[in-house]
Amino acid sequence: MSMRALARSGPDTLAGVLLEDTMSTLADHGRELVPRPEQTPDALRTALAVVAPARLEEMQATKDDAFAKAVKWESLSPVQSWVLRWARDIEIARRPDLASRFERAQSTLEDEDPDVAREALRELTAVLDEAMTAVRG
């Protein structure tokens, strides 16, 4: 079922689908807040509205920028990059295991101890890589 169809379905249906999806993915990497969305602007926006609604304005601004660049450059590359960036960020936000690792790494990224900062950078890179690998399938 698509994210759009989930959003239009009733709360009982949505809860049931989310619970089923959560149960089916526990073995993979723990609890997921929402199913992985399709890589379309509407599906990504719907998922973001659930997992990180405070970022919706940022998403729209970067989408507008990507589409303007696509027209100017006569290339879909900016739009494809936008989709991948937001699919990656949503992947992190929808998976509490990745989100907590990401937040922990970000909080120590500028630590005075260079070893702590270096480890934070390594962990941040690992989280971003894991999320990107997941969304690229």
Side-chain angles (χ1 to χ4, degrees):
M1 181 176 283
S2 74
M3 289 298 294
R4 181 178 285 160
L6 284 174
R8 280 184 283 195
S9 66
D12 292 333
T13 304
L14 178 60
V17 170
L18 290 176
L19 179 60
E20 181 179 319
D21 182 69
T22 299
M23 297 305 291
S24 70
T25 58
L26 278 174
D28 292 337
H29 38 253
R31 183 173 57 93
E32 295 177 348
L33 301 179
V34 296
R36 182 175 296 127
E38 295 175 25
Q39 291 186 15
T40 66
D42 287 342
L44 293 170
R45 186 182 194 303
T46 300
L48 188 67
V50 174
V51 299
R55 296 191 64 196
L56 285 169
E57 284 185 35
E58 175 190 358
M59 177 189 235
Q60 186 61 48
T62 59
K63 178 183 174 185
D64 293 346
D65 185 53
F67 277 80
K69 285 179 181 172
V71 170
K72 183 177 180 178
W73 298 351
E74 298 179 3
S75 169
L76 288 178
S77 178
V79 175
Q80 292 166 328
S81 294
W82 178 87
V83 166
L84 278 177
R85 176 217 169 163
W86 284 99
R88 180 204 64 201
D89 286 3
I90 291 165
E91 183 69 16
I92 292 168
R94 75 184 196 87
R95 291 177 44 192
D97 62 318
L98 281 184
S100 66
R101 286 173 54 202
F102 185 81
E103 289 168 15
R104 227 178 4 260
Q106 272 195 318
S107 71
T108 57
L109 197 55
E110 296 183 20
D111 196 276
E112 291 180 14
D113 182 340
D115 291 333
V116 172
R118 201 172 2 267
E119 176 57 27
L121 182 58
R122 187 204 62 73
E123 178 66 359
L124 194 58
T125 301
V127 169
L128 292 170
D129 287 349
E130 184 176 336
M132 188 60 79
T133 298
V135 299
R136 284 191 169 161

